[in-house]
Amino acid sequence: MHSPTLPVLVLSLISSASWAQSPTVRIRAGDTLPSGDHVTAVITNQVDDRGSWLALVDSDFADSSQDGFLLRDGQVLVREGVSVAEPAGSTLDDFVAIARGVGGDYASILRVRLSFSQIDGLYFNKQLVALEQDVVGAPEVPAAATWDRFNGAWLNGSRTLFVLGEINNPNIFGVREDALVRFQLDETGTVLSKNVVLTKGQFVPALNGAVSLLGSNGYSALNGRGDYLGYVYLAPGGPGALLKNLDTVLAREGDPSPILGRSYRSLTLSKMALNDHGEHAFTAVLDGTADTYCIIKNGQKFVQGGDA
């Protein structure tokens, strides 16, 4: 496994008694894993409010097809090269994305090897939820619509799982279409319901336009109440906007920002956060040639490039 890396995972824990504590290093390059291998890099990580963490790490194991590990609080959940229960006869080839839940739950998109081919699957803990080429099975799309690709996943404590991917909808012109799908799961990973929240061609009244593209993995947010924040690009030709659920536009490319005299130039790669109180924050690129990068929190400037 070879991906963009971080040398260390550092947590700063905030308790109700104190707003400032010393950062705590939980794992770093060189640490010994329970398997006896050594961490070479932290690929990605997620931390909850209690300091429990989920991390994907690379190791010095000699076989690069088996050197990736998914850890929770230092313990190995799964590693590359192991057998996967579903589909039968498959082995884990690579990690595509991970999502931390609550109470030890997690979701993942895994690339598994089946005979001489690879296929991506969506999993809750180790339970298969959906597989590429499966029918989507949601009421908002035709019965013949199938999954083409899984790109990103977000999971909350209510076991609401949002998945950003691509589907093959026979009613829409083109090879594949972006789609945001919401799964409601029980504690075993059984699907209780699923709905296509957004997809190509869907008209969004809050934007007065139809969806063309959705944001990529890593540029969305989900809170414990099931509220979702993501990037939507309109057809034809844009602009793009940050949309909370389907009814609230937080920012739109070309619109004025809260920074006097500056408009939003690009939101395509905005990083986002959304808490259970409805508070939000996101990064943005402003028009102009200087101090173009900023963070907006709850509709106001939090910090901007060039600030002292």
Side-chain angles (χ1 to χ4, degrees), residues 72-251:
R72 181 173 60 213
D73 299 332
Q75 300 303 307
V76 176
L77 290 174
V78 65
R79 68 175 295 176
E80 292 173 346
V82 301
S83 297
V84 179
E86 295 182 87
S90 61
T91 57
L92 173 56
D93 195 65
D94 200 2
F95 297 94
V96 177
I98 60 172
R100 177 192 52 78
V102 173
D105 290 334
Y106 68 97
S108 59
I109 299 171
L110 305 180
R111 182 158 296 139
V112 300
R113 183 170 294 279
L114 188 60
S115 297
F116 297 102
S117 62
Q118 292 178 320
I119 192 169
D120 288 0
L122 172 67
Y123 293 81
F124 172 77
N125 297 327
K126 296 183 179 181
Q127 172 71 33
L128 180 66
V129 175
L131 198 64
E132 284 181 351
Q133 303 173 12
D134 281 354
V135 296
V136 177
E140 295 81 7
V141 293
T146 57
W147 282 106
D148 190 81
R149 185 176 300 167
F150 303 110
N151 294 326
W154 298 265
L155 178 68
N156 67 14
S158 300
R159 293 185 292 275
T160 301
L161 174 62
F162 276 75
V163 179
L164 182 64
E166 298 173 16
I167 64 174
N168 184 353
N169 182 345
N171 287 1
I172 302 293
F173 177 78
V175 177
R176 62 181 68 91
E177 301 78 41
D178 284 355
L180 177 68
V181 180
R182 178 177 56 223
F183 293 82
Q184 187 57 56
L185 309 175
D186 69 9
E187 63 276 5
T188 68
T190 299
V191 178
L192 302 177
S193 65
K194 62 179 110 171
N195 297 93
V196 175
V197 179
L198 280 172
T199 189
K200 181 179 179 180
Q202 180 176 340
F203 184 82
V204 180
L207 296 171
N208 193 32
V211 174
S212 175
L213 298 170
L214 300 177
S216 58
N217 178 32
Y219 304 102
S220 303
L222 175 70
N223 69 12
R225 301 189 307 181
D227 297 319
Y228 176 84
L229 174 59
Y231 177 81
V232 177
Y233 187 76
L234 299 181
L242 300 187
L243 186 66
K244 178 184 174 185
N245 299 326
L246 294 179
D247 54 14
T248 305
V249 180
L250 300 182

Side-chain angles (χ1 to χ4, degrees), residues 55-68:
L56 183 58
V57 304
D58 219 342
S59 76
D60 60 0
F61 189 74
D63 186 345
S64 62
S65 68
Q66 302 180 48
D67 62 351

Side-chain angles (χ1 to χ4, degrees), residues 9-64:
L9 169 58
V10 180
L11 307 186
S12 181
L13 305 183
I14 305 297
S15 72
S16 58
S18 172
W19 288 102
Q21 296 186 17
S22 299
T24 303
V25 176
R26 295 302 192 189
I27 189 168
R28 73 178 82 204
D31 284 355
T32 303
L33 295 166
S35 63
D37 305 297
H38 300 89
V39 175
T40 56
V42 180
I43 307 301
T44 188
N45 65 85
Q46 298 179 8
V47 186
D48 68 18
D49 293 339
R50 297 175 178 83
S52 179
W53 54 272
L54 191 70
L56 183 58
V57 304
D58 219 342
S59 76
D60 60 0
F61 189 74
D63 186 345
S64 62

